Coordinates of all heavy atoms in Angstrom, one line a residue:
A9 N 4.3 17.3 4.8 CA 4.0 17.6 6.2 C 2.7 16.9 6.5 O 1.8 16.8 5.7 CB 3.9 19.1 6.3
W20 N -9.5 14.4 29.8 CA -9.8 13.9 31.1 C -11.3 14.3 31.5 O -11.6 15.5 31.2 CB -8.9 14.4 32.2 CG -7.5 13.9 32.2 CD1 -6.9 13.2 31.2 CD2 -6.5 14.1 33.2 NE1 -5.6 12.9 31.5 CE2 -5.3 13.4 32.7 CE3 -6.5 14.7 34.4 CZ2 -4.1 13.4 33.4 CZ3 -5.3 14.7 35.1 CH2 -4.1 14.1 34.6
R24 N -17.5 13.8 39.7 CA -18.0 14.7 40.8 C -18.7 13.9 41.9 O -19.3 12.9 41.6 CB -19.0 15.7 40.2 CG -18.3 16.6 39.2 CD -19.3 17.6 38.6 NE -18.6 18.4 37.5 CZ -17.8 19.4 37.7 NH1 -17.7 19.9 39.0 NH2 -17.2 20.0 36.7
G65 N -10.9 10.1 18.9 CA -11.6 10.5 17.7 C -12.5 11.7 17.9 O -12.5 12.7 17.1
T117 N -36.1 12.5 4.4 CA -35.8 11.7 3.2 C -34.3 11.7 3.1 O -33.6 12.5 3.6 CB -36.4 12.2 1.9 OG1 -35.9 13.5 1.7 CG2 -37.9 12.3 2.0
G125 N -26.1 19.3 5.4 CA -24.8 20.0 5.7 C -24.5 21.0 4.7 O -24.0 22.1 5.0
H129 N -24.0 24.9 5.7 CA -22.7 25.6 5.5 C -22.7 26.4 4.2 O -21.6 26.9 3.8 CB -21.6 24.5 5.4 CG -21.3 23.9 6.8 ND1 -20.5 24.4 7.7 CD2 -21.7 22.7 7.3 CE1 -20.4 23.7 8.8 NE2 -21.2 22.6 8.6
E139 N -27.6 17.4 -6.4 CA -26.4 17.2 -5.5 C -26.6 15.8 -4.8 O -25.7 15.0 -4.7 CB -26.3 18.3 -4.5 CG -25.0 18.4 -3.8 CD -23.8 18.5 -4.7 OE1 -23.9 18.8 -5.9 OE2 -22.7 18.3 -4.2
L215 N -8.7 8.4 10.0 CA -8.3 7.7 11.3 C -9.3 6.6 11.4 O -10.5 6.8 11.6 CB -8.4 8.7 12.5 CG -8.1 8.0 13.8 CD1 -6.7 7.5 13.9 CD2 -8.4 9.0 15.0
D220 N -11.0 -4.6 15.4 CA -10.8 -5.8 14.6 C -9.5 -5.6 13.8 O -9.4 -4.8 12.8 CB -12.0 -5.9 13.6 CG -11.9 -7.1 12.7 OD1 -10.8 -7.7 12.5 OD2 -13.0 -7.6 12.3
R244 N 4.4 1.1 10.6 CA 3.9 0.6 9.4 C 3.1 -0.7 9.6 O 3.5 -1.5 10.5 CB 5.0 0.3 8.4 CG 6.0 1.4 8.1 CD 5.5 2.4 7.1 NE 5.0 1.8 5.9 CZ 4.1 2.3 5.1 NH1 3.6 3.5 5.4 NH2 3.7 1.7 4.0
E246 N 2.5 -3.6 8.1 CA 3.1 -4.9 7.9 C 4.1 -5.1 9.1 O 4.2 -6.3 9.6 CB 3.9 -5.1 6.6 CG 3.1 -4.5 5.4 CD 3.2 -3.0 5.2 OE1 4.4 -2.5 5.2 OE2 2.2 -2.4 5.1
A259 N -0.3 -9.7 22.0 CA -1.4 -10.4 22.5 C -2.7 -10.1 21.7 O -3.5 -11.0 21.4 CB -1.7 -9.9 24.0
C297 N 0.8 -7.9 32.0 CA 1.9 -8.3 31.1 C 2.6 -9.6 31.5 O 3.1 -9.6 32.7 CB 2.9 -7.1 31.0 SG 4.2 -7.5 29.8
V303 N 11.1 -2.8 37.0 CA 11.2 -1.5 36.5 C 9.8 -1.1 35.9 O 9.4 0.1 36.0 CB 12.3 -1.3 35.5 CG1 12.1 -2.1 34.2 CG2 12.5 0.2 35.1
G315 N 13.6 2.2 13.6 CA 13.2 2.6 12.2 C 12.1 3.6 12.2 O 12.1 4.6 13.0
C321 N 8.0 0.3 25.7 CA 8.1 -0.9 26.5 C 9.6 -1.0 27.0 O 10.5 -0.7 26.2 CB 7.8 -2.1 25.7 SG 8.1 -3.6 26.5

Side-chain angles (χ1 to χ4, degrees):
W20 292 10
R24 297 179 186 276
T117 60
H129 290 275
E139 197 57 15
L215 176 65
D220 186 335
R244 306 276 312 153
E246 315 79 54
C297 181
V303 65
C321 174

